[in-house]
Amino acid sequence: MMNLTQLDFGQKAIITRVHGQVLALKLFEMGILPGEEVELENVAPFGDPIAINLSESKVCLRMQDASCVEIKLVD
């Protein structure tokens, strides 16, 4: 399984699962839900945080949180 930290620029993926009950609730409130399509938008100069496009919105996540979001690449 891949997670958001493994996504390259220009790749699109579908969120399949978010690990951790408390983190999942926080991310769900931000719109990071299973079934949503995501794309890596930007990475901070030192590699953390990352910005993703999510339903025409940009969301920033710490790498630690992004590693808990499982994804499946879109062909």
Side-chain angles (χ1 to χ4, degrees), residues 15-34 61-62 64-66 68-70:
I15 297 170
T16 57
R17 183 176 179 194
V18 178
H19 295 276
Q21 190 174 15
V22 174
L23 178 63
L25 180 60
K26 176 182 168 185
L27 297 182
F28 290 172
E29 290 174 347
M30 296 169 64
I32 300 174
L33 300 164
L61 289 175
R62 294 179 295 176
Q64 182 179 2
D65 294 342
C68 296
V69 180
E70 281 186 15

Side-chain angles (χ1 to χ4, degrees), residues 24-66:
L25 180 60
K26 176 182 168 185
L27 297 182
F28 290 172
E29 290 174 347
M30 296 169 64
I32 300 174
L33 300 164
E36 290 289 331
E37 187 174 289
V38 295
E39 180 179 3
L40 181 62
E41 172 75 20
N42 204 353
V43 178
F46 294 106
D48 194 9
I50 63 171
I52 58 171
N53 280 331
L54 176 76
S55 301
E56 300 183 21
S57 297
K58 186 184 292 187
V59 177
C60 292
L61 289 175
R62 294 179 295 176
M63 291 296 276
Q64 182 179 2
D65 294 342

